[in-house]
Amino acid sequence: MADWEGFTEEVLDGLGPGVEAVWSLLEAAELVVLGLRTDSVAQDLQLVAASADLGEARAELEWVHPQLPSQCPALPWQEHDIAMVGDDTGRDGAAELITIALSVVRGMLRDDGGLMPLEELTALSRAGHLASQAYTRLTGRLVAS
Amino acid sequence: MSTPPVIGWSGARVEPVTCGQLLGQASARLAWALTVLHTDPVADANARQAVQASHQVAAATAHLLRTVVPPTGTPAVVPARETAAALALALDELTVSQPRERPPSPAAGSIASAVHEAAIRVGAAADLLATHHDRTGRARSPDADLMRDPGAVDELLHQVGRLTEDQVRVMRAALTRSTGVADVDGEDLAAVDRLARDLQSAAPSAATRAGLINLTVAHPAIRHGDPVVELADRVARLRQAAWDLAGTPRTAGVATLTDFAAVGLLVHAHTAVGALDPDSPSDPPAVQRLLGGVDAWRQLRHQLLPLRSASPALVGVRADLLAVRHWLQTVAPIPPSAGEPRPPVDADTVATLRACAGVLPDIARWNAATFANLVQYDHVMVKAARLPGELLHDDPDRIRAALTGGYLPAPPPALQTVSEAYQRLTIEQSLQNAAPRWMAQVRPARLRDL
């Protein structure tokens, strides 16, 4: 059994402020999703699409903040990768990471007081949209508001 | 006379022309000219101009031969090389007496104009091949190596030999019909004819081979307007980019390799969507192989994600990745949730998607070289914080990096799993796919005959 708690703990500990946190959380969620497998082809394709949604969401943020990948800490590398956590734990864990990312996005949009540059606003909302799409693909539910 | 290629309702549908097509068009024009010269009673007035135009074809052919078999620098692995060089010289002899200045353009629709058009196409074929090397002779595309492949060169030389024979026939017929002084040496013409035949026997044609004949211009533009066409063009450009990056060490970092892995993953996944039959419960072996590709590329991206290097993601590759994803979602969508039905995907689209999947082993091979180079120069890093103690080697700098959230060169197991993943993708996938090697064939079948 890989160190799932250690993984999430380190991701959460290393989070930067604002958009950096969103980027890191989405990257961590993608790593978890890429490690998941199911027996059903349809489900498996959903996992692929969810990982692509998460990757694209980060790309949206990187258009506005190209320095994000070098600013945000890399994901913890472990010799026994976290794909071993099992599907349900992994799926719930990834969904949880996405939920936290979305709450950060929501907070940023709520607290900005109309000062956020337009390109940042659109990038954040595009990333938020893609992340919620990934959430739906993973859980079959819409993100609770 | 064959008509020029039809420009369809959308510019997006026009295929990039191949070398073989240009030579085919030239042959067709020469054949038309020959027929008219033999049959049309009023051909005489035009025949003299046709002789002039056929000198242009001869000059263009000599140029083409020198492009395929350069006077220097080609290893003598092509048996027909000597004959080709001799033919180029003989063609020079034939055209040497011609005035240097450009003759007036023949009237449209005349014999001379058809022969003139043939000359333009032969010259264009030489130019097309020349785009695959830069002025110092360095390759500009992954397909440039074909010009060193004896079989591929033979196939083209055979076709050039046949074309030259046609030229001789046209020139002879035009000389017979033309009035006034003939300025062509019969012996020179006979020498060209003989060498053209020699070239055909020295360079056997292999009809099944996809070689220089199928080469398009290097770096073709992306055609917009038809999603399937644009998708294939973008994948072709990504193949070119992967090749370019393997040749320019440390331009691309891990971020770009991770983007390439996403391309591999998505192309396989959406091709599987297209190939899956919604009504049949079991998946045929072809779909199983695609799903195997999904898994292999997914593992690779999974292994690359925690690795870092200094180079940021290259914007061009990233933009192509996002466009590829967009068009894949358009032509063979994965529905928003597992329960929803998949819309059917037409067979031509699936064929194009399969051909796109067929170029991914190439991308894997060149990405592997890029990665190996990054590893060699210690450019691949991981976050030191969670590395096991034995990997810190009791080195104070390493321990400091681990304590301060710094980075260290990735440990051997991390690098090895990635290298192995690349190796699997290169070998297994290329065996499984057995797809066309050349991007000229990565086109929807319905567009091929336009």
Side-chain angles (χ1 to χ4, degrees):
Chain A
M1 175 76 182
D3 187 1
W4 168 250
E5 286 78 16
F7 173 81
T8 44
E9 201 175 291
E10 185 167 337
V11 170
L12 296 176
D13 280 354
L15 288 184
V19 66
E20 286 179 36
V22 179
W23 192 92
S24 294
L25 287 162
L26 295 180
E27 193 193 26
E30 188 186 342
L31 184 80
V32 178
V33 174
L34 285 168
L36 298 174
R37 301 287 182 277
T38 70
D39 292 336
S40 136
V41 174
Q43 291 283 355
D44 223 38
L45 289 171
Q46 287 300 323
L47 291 176
V48 171
S51 77
D53 283 339
L54 293 168
E56 197 176 331
R58 280 189 300 131
E60 285 293 341
L61 299 176
E62 285 175 43
W63 291 129
V64 189
H65 300 285
Q67 76 287 3
L68 273 175
S70 53
Q71 253 174 10
C72 299
L75 294 169
W77 178 83
Q78 305 179 86
E79 188 150 9
H80 308 287
D81 71 50
I82 53 150
M84 307 300 285
V85 290
D87 284 345
D88 290 341
T89 319
R91 203 179 274 266
D92 294 349
E96 184 63 30
L97 290 167
I98 296 172
T99 313
I100 303 173
L102 285 172
S103 67
V104 178
V105 171
R106 203 176 291 138
M108 287 175 73
L109 293 175
R110 190 185 50 219
D111 298 341
D112 100 287
L115 296 173
M116 194 181 283
L118 190 61
E119 63 268 24
E120 170 119 30
L121 192 76
T122 48
L124 265 180
S125 46
R126 281 274 302 153
H129 165 72
L130 286 159
S132 9
Q133 199 167 298
Y135 182 94
T136 307
R137 288 186 193 276
L138 281 175
T139 61
R141 299 189 305 271
L142 296 175
V143 189
S145 52
Chain B
M1 186 169 66
S2 76
T3 48
V6 177
I7 310 278
W9 53 271
S10 152
R13 288 173 166 253
V14 181
E15 291 289 291
V17 71
T18 66
C19 181
Q21 283 168 348
L22 283 169
L23 295 180
Q25 289 168 8
S27 283
R29 277 156 177 78
L30 289 177
W32 181 84
L34 193 61
T35 315
V36 178
L37 279 166
H38 282 318
T39 53
D40 189 347
V42 295
D44 287 2
N46 235 314
R48 177 128 196 98
Q49 264 196 319
V51 175
Q52 275 181 341
S54 54
H55 276 104
Q56 293 172 340
V57 187
T61 309
H63 175 48
L64 174 61
L65 284 167
R66 291 208 172 86
T67 310
V68 183
V69 185
T72 54
T74 309
V77 287
V78 182
R81 179 173 178 253
E82 297 298 323
T83 320
L87 178 57
L89 278 176
L91 287 164
D92 285 349
E93 281 295 313
L94 193 65
T95 53
V96 75
S97 59
Q98 284 298 299
R100 287 289 105 187
E101 71 268 16
R102 202 189 147 102
S105 293
S110 65
I111 308 169
S113 120
V115 180
H116 178 70
E117 284 174 17
I120 289 174
R121 275 155 183 79
V122 175
D127 292 347
L128 182 153
L129 293 177
T131 60
H132 289 268
H133 288 92
D134 68 8
R135 69 171 79 172
T136 63
R138 243 182 35 171
R140 290 181 72 234
S141 86
D143 303 326
D145 276 354
L146 270 180
M147 285 165 90
R148 277 200 281 275
D149 176 347
V153 171
D154 274 1
E155 185 192 19
L156 183 65
L157 288 179
H158 186 89
Q159 196 162 341
V160 176
R162 227 173 33 213
L163 188 75
T164 314
E165 236 191 297
D166 292 348
Q167 290 167 38
V168 173
R169 283 200 202 105
V170 168
M171 203 181 260
R172 280 193 176 132
L175 281 169
T176 319
R177 300 295 302 259
S178 69
T179 49
V181 188
D183 51 1
V184 177
D185 184 334
E187 275 180 35
D188 286 347
L189 199 56
V192 169
D193 196 19
R194 183 172 46 78
L195 283 166
R197 286 167 204 274
D198 286 353
L199 187 59
Q200 289 176 71
S201 47
S205 127
T208 52
R209 220 183 165 96
L212 284 173
I213 295 290
N214 286 344
L215 215 56
T216 65
V217 69
H219 306 249
I222 303 289
R223 290 163 297 161
H224 304 281
D226 183 322
V228 182
V229 173
E230 180 172 343
L231 180 63
D233 283 356
R234 297 246 182 207
V235 172
R237 186 157 78 177
L238 284 163
R239 173 178 181 264
Q240 170 78 38
W243 178 84
D244 279 338
L245 293 170
T248 47
R250 299 181 293 292
T251 309
V254 173
T256 294
L257 295 179
T258 314
D259 280 350
F260 276 115
V263 174
L265 170 59
L266 291 173
V267 168
H268 277 99
H270 285 269
T271 310
V273 171
L276 275 172
D277 184 353
D279 302 325
S280 116
S282 69
D283 307 321
V287 177
Q288 286 302 335
R289 282 200 294 275
L290 287 168
L291 294 173
V294 170
D295 226 39
W297 283 99
R298 175 157 54 174
Q299 262 175 35
L300 177 67
R301 184 162 162 98
H302 185 249
Q303 287 155 357
L304 284 169
L305 217 52
L307 307 180
R308 287 279 194 276
S309 66
S311 321
L314 297 174
V315 175
V317 174
R318 174 64 61 82
D320 275 344
L321 158 64
L322 293 175
V324 162
R325 181 178 194 218
H326 174 73
W327 292 124
L328 285 170
Q329 240 343 83
T330 308
V331 300
I334 297 175
S337 69
E340 288 183 42
R342 284 186 303 270
V345 183
D346 69 272
D348 282 349
T349 303
V350 177
T352 307
L353 290 176
R354 278 188 199 282
C356 287
V359 302
L360 288 165
D362 279 350
I363 292 183
R365 181 154 49 95
W366 294 319
N367 279 183
T370 306
F371 184 74
N373 187 272
L374 289 172
V375 171
Q376 191 186 343
Y377 289 90
D378 273 347
H379 272 241
V380 182
M381 305 295 241
V382 291
K383 207 175 160 204
R386 291 186 65 82
L387 287 183
E390 72 262 23
L391 288 174
L392 299 177
H393 298 305
D394 295 336
D395 174 346
D397 288 341
R398 286 172 170 260
I399 295 165
R400 195 172 302 119
L403 287 171
T404 55
Y407 288 80
L408 286 174
L415 301 173
Q416 207 182 335
T417 45
V418 174
S419 304
E420 284 169 6
Y422 274 127
Q423 220 169 0
R424 272 199 305 278
L425 282 167
T426 308
I427 301 167
E428 287 176 23
Q429 288 295 302
S430 55
L431 288 177
Q432 285 174 355
N433 281 318
R437 271 174 80 197
W438 315 113
M439 285 317 291
Q441 288 162 321
V442 181
R443 310 287 172 203
R446 70 193 138 99
L447 306 184
R448 216 167 281 145
D449 299 326
L450 276 182

